[in-house]
Amino acid sequence: MNSKKTKTPLLKEKYKILFVSSELHPFAKTGGLGDVSNSLPKALKALHQDIIVLIPAYPFAIKKAESIKCIAKIDLPIKGFPGHLGLPVIEGKTNSVSIMETKLPGSHVKVWMIESELYNRSGTPYFDADGMEWEDNDFRFALLNYVAVEIAMGRTSLKWQPDIVHGNDWQAGLVGVLLEHEHSTKKNMRPATVFTIHNMAHMGVFSRERFDALELNPHLWNHHELEFHDDFSFIKGGLVFSDRVNTVSPSYAKEIQSEEFGYGLSGLLSYRSERLSGILNGIDMKEWNPAKDTMIKKNYSIKTLANKASNKSALQKHFNLPKRKNTLLLGMVARLVYQKGVDLLLESMDDILDLPFQIVILGSGDLELESRLRQWVNRYPEKIQIQLGYDESLSHLIEAGADAFLMPSRFEPCGLNQLYSLRYGTIPIVRKTGGLADTVTHASEENLADNTATGVVFHEAEGSTLIDAINLTSLLYQNKDVWKKLMINGMKQEFSWKESAKQYLKLYGQAIKDRNKFKKHTSVTL
Ligand code: ADP
């Protein structure tokens, strides 16, 4: 054996990383992507990486940013999109953008926000005030990609050029596509590209007309590259062209290679399986710490578990539920959509509400699911309550105050709430899928005996199996010793970002190696 193995010079310890995302907590968050975009860069910074997060300058993001200043103007190699929407082309608005710099609160991570008319509107990153998708989301996020590429290729006055561009979800799916183009035509080496899938269900699919309007190279219109069933897909671009692709749990990385979870791209994902991996998300251990959390009623830890009860009564009070110390209180915080298994819960509600449980739900999403939940609240207000909308501090109180946490997801790339639940001694009830399968260990007799059990795991996506799982939870709850054991097992789990961040560093190294040798399965004539 050669003991003098030297590191390949490409795998340097310190990378310059441009992290491209449409969400970043606390500036803009609709789900897990916002959390990951906050925590992973912070963890990479702690590992001495030079990382900058690039997001759109939504007005609600700018409002939350401290000491924000304009540091550059970037001219883009595009004519400008608004004309294609029948809107007047505003000279200098979309073919030139400003970069505003701020810091991620509580850290030294730099954040660059792209200022453009396309982002200057209220609502959420994706929806207007009525919950309708912005009609020009393709333009809005293509702009994010075009700006990332200018920075990546060093064509700005920013004096900073990354080794890696790390794109997230469909909104950043074109970075790899555009950079591959650069690679084929320029002498200077493009940065390596990593693309992370946080959710395969959102694919960024748009029409041929919009493809042309986005000023993408017409040669990319073929089914090996961007074309997708007569439309085209941003996420497909990320999957085909990035040097490395990963998703947020090992199980989900496997699942998306099956027809059921691959949304028509399972073949491509299997084809790229050697470059596809799963890295579990961590959680922000400071923000989600029951011993220090300022958003809950009373702090607690493994040593002061009894204090958790104060949070339960505060939660019951918040929702106007009868204060019952010994009634099993189930919590749920989620986007109220099909993915999260809300329909399974609705299907079994009759049976669940027959039993002596209380349920509190925080979330918003599908209007029909919301209204069906409200009907149950009207019928059984002393048993089920729901708060529609987004409320960060209430989500903390639910994690602290509920006895058990419901996540009956049909699929779950990683899931964060079950990790928060484990940390808060709140027993997760989860379906065995994706990251839920990778992080929660079922309370079987065997697992209880060897102290590995942390929650209740059920298999089939059916109302009846969910009821079985809730019934089992209730049985476990009645045995205080067993329940306490489950709580403590969960609270001892380690889901800090440090380990995951180290795996991302490894992935960046692999991407840099692959950048040189990676040959796409088709060649693009550009
Ligand atoms: P997803 O990204 O699919 O929505 P995750 O479990 O990965 O699901 O992450 C969801 C994140 O969003 C968690 O931090 C959760 O607490 C938060 N969240 C979701 N809905 C709400 C809400 N209505 N109010 C507060 N936080 C919410």
Side-chain angles (χ1 to χ4, degrees):
M1 283 246 310
N2 179 6
S3 57
K4 281 191 197 157
K5 254 190 183 168
T6 49
K7 271 188 197 161
T8 141
L10 289 170
L11 296 184
K12 56 180 180 175
E13 298 286 310
K14 183 166 175 172
Y15 300 116
K16 286 195 211 139
I17 306 151
L18 182 67
F19 191 91
V20 185
S21 179
S22 57
E23 294 186 32
L24 172 60
H25 175 69
F27 302 120
K29 168 176 160 181
T30 71
L33 175 61
D35 286 329
V36 175
S37 302
N38 173 300
S39 309
L40 176 56
K42 281 202 281 203
L44 287 164
K45 187 83 183 170
L47 294 174
H48 312 294
Q49 303 303 304
D50 182 359
I51 182 158
I52 295 178
V53 185
L54 182 70
I55 61 164
Y58 312 107
F60 43 88
I62 295 204
K63 234 188 225 165
K64 290 189 187 144
E66 277 180 18
S67 318
I68 188 161
K69 58 177 190 288
C70 179
I71 53 163
K73 275 215 176 303
I74 298 182
D75 291 327
L76 298 167
I78 46 176
K79 291 187 214 98
F81 307 141
H84 294 287
L85 291 175
L87 300 170
V89 179
I90 309 165
E91 205 50 52
K93 285 290 181 188
T94 46
N95 50 14
S96 139
V97 295
S98 298
I99 299 293
M100 311 292 289
E101 184 176 279
T102 184
K103 289 250 167 73
L104 203 48
S107 80
H108 295 291
V109 175
K110 275 187 198 165
V111 177
W112 286 350
M113 296 191 187
I114 305 164
E115 211 177 37
S116 156
E117 281 304 299
L118 288 178
Y119 304 130
N120 190 14
R121 41 183 99 153
S122 51
T124 81
Y126 319 118
F127 304 107
D128 64 19
D130 296 327
M132 301 298 289
E133 273 188 43
W134 296 114
E135 204 273 331
D136 54 352
N137 272 344
D138 44 357
F139 294 99
R140 298 173 73 238
F141 295 111
L143 183 68
L144 174 66
N145 290 260
Y146 275 113
V147 174
V149 168
E150 291 310 292
I151 297 170
M153 296 309 293
R155 289 193 292 259
T156 71
S157 58
L158 290 162
K159 296 198 175 66
W160 185 89
Q161 196 177 355
D163 306 309
I164 309 280
V165 183
H166 184 165
N168 293 277
D169 271 350
W170 75 261
Q171 294 86 356
L174 296 182
V175 174
V177 181
L178 296 169
L179 279 177
E180 183 68 15
H181 186 172
E182 297 285 346
H183 181 45
S184 328
T185 57
K186 301 257 181 207
K187 276 197 185 136
N188 63 328
M189 191 68 121
R190 65 162 174 84
T193 49
V194 167
F195 182 66
T196 302
I197 307 161
H198 298 261
N199 195 332
M200 253 325 271
H202 304 293
M203 305 172 82
V205 176
F206 302 96
S207 67
R208 171 76 209 221
E209 196 192 355
R210 301 301 276 257
F211 174 90
D212 293 332
L214 287 171
E215 302 174 34
L216 292 165
N217 192 305
H219 291 289
L220 293 163
W221 190 270
N222 68 77
H223 72 271
H224 290 299
E225 294 176 322
L226 293 194
E227 188 183 349
F228 184 62
H229 303 293
D230 297 330
D231 288 321
F232 83 103
S233 155
F234 275 51
I235 209 170
K236 188 172 176 186
L239 303 182
V240 172
F241 286 96
S242 305
D243 296 312
R244 284 273 162 169
V245 176
N246 81 303
T247 181
V248 288
S249 69
S251 285
Y252 194 60
K254 285 197 203 103
E255 286 171 0
I256 55 177
Q257 294 178 52
S258 71
E259 265 181 45
E260 188 185 352
F261 296 103
Y263 294 89
L265 291 176
S266 54
L268 169 62
L269 286 158
S270 306
Y271 178 83
R272 298 223 62 202
S273 60
E274 278 181 22
R275 301 266 193 292
L276 170 66
S277 60
I279 301 178
L280 262 185
N281 285 337
I283 59 172
D284 187 320
M285 302 287 274
K286 275 194 195 146
E287 199 156 319
W288 293 92
N289 177 4
K292 300 233 166 99
D293 194 330
T294 53
M295 293 186 239
I296 65 177
K297 179 79 180 169
K298 192 153 190 176
N299 292 120
Y300 61 96
S301 65
I302 289 179
K303 287 190 186 136
T304 53
L305 262 188
N307 290 347
K308 191 175 189 306
S310 305
N311 296 299
K312 180 168 177 176
S313 57
L315 187 58
Q316 286 166 327
K317 185 171 171 209
H318 177 92
F319 278 101
N320 270 326
L321 286 170
K323 276 197 193 175
R324 295 207 179 112
K325 212 172 140 196
N326 294 315
T327 296
L328 181 68
L329 174 57
L330 305 171
M332 182 169 186
V333 181
R335 289 181 294 115
L336 300 175
V337 294
Y338 180 78
Q339 174 198 341
K340 300 291 176 183
V342 182
D343 57 315
L344 299 182
L345 186 62
L346 283 162
E347 223 176 85
S348 35
M349 206 62 105
D350 231 343
D351 293 300
I352 296 173
L353 293 178
D354 233 11
L355 298 160
F357 307 139
Q358 292 177 331
I359 306 183
V360 295
I361 299 174
L362 166 66
S364 63
D366 187 289
L367 296 181
E368 195 210 319
L369 293 173
E370 285 182 4
S371 115
R372 285 173 64 196
L373 282 170
R374 264 200 305 253
Q375 285 167 17
W376 284 107
V377 173
N378 292 337
R379 280 174 63 185
Y380 295 95
E382 76 293 353
K383 286 195 164 176
I384 174 168
Q385 284 295 333
I386 171 168
Q387 181 167 320
L388 295 176
Y390 192 89
D391 188 334
E392 190 77 25
S393 41
L394 182 58
S395 74
H396 283 244
L397 184 62
I398 292 178
E399 286 294 2
D403 295 303
F405 196 93
L406 282 170
M407 284 186 89
S409 306
R410 289 181 179 275
F411 68 94
E412 196 61 76
C414 175
L416 291 171
N417 277 112
Q418 84 280 13
L419 305 181
Y420 303 148
S421 300
L422 290 169
R423 181 128 164 94
Y424 280 65
T426 302
I427 309 308
I429 303 172
V430 305
R431 200 171 91 69
K432 194 173 175 64
T433 182
L436 300 176
D438 291 341
T439 55
V440 181
T441 307
H442 182 55
S444 63
E445 272 181 30
E446 200 184 358
N447 294 337
L448 279 169
D450 65 15
N451 273 333
T452 54
T454 56
V456 173
V457 183
F458 66 100
H459 290 245
E460 302 308 322
E462 282 162 20
S464 58
T465 50
L466 173 60
I467 296 168
D468 291 346
I470 294 177
N471 278 327
L472 173 61
T473 310
S474 171
L475 271 181
L476 294 164
Y477 182 68
Q478 281 157 33
N479 184 331
K480 295 297 169 208
D481 291 337
V482 168
W483 193 256
K484 191 169 172 194
K485 206 182 215 186
L486 271 177
M487 289 167 83
I488 292 174
N489 289 347
M491 291 173 90
K492 283 185 175 164
Q493 302 290 308
E494 175 64 37
F495 290 112
S496 80
W497 265 105
K498 194 170 177 187
E499 280 315 305
S500 307
K502 282 186 188 161
Q503 290 183 52
Y504 273 99
L505 277 188
K506 225 167 135 190
L507 190 68
Y508 295 154
Q510 288 164 337
I512 288 177
K513 277 212 273 182
D514 291 343
R515 169 184 55 181
N516 306 326
K517 65 178 186 212
F518 172 47
K519 292 251 185 299
K520 292 194 312 296
H521 53 292
T522 54
S523 60
V524 204
T525 323
L526 292 162

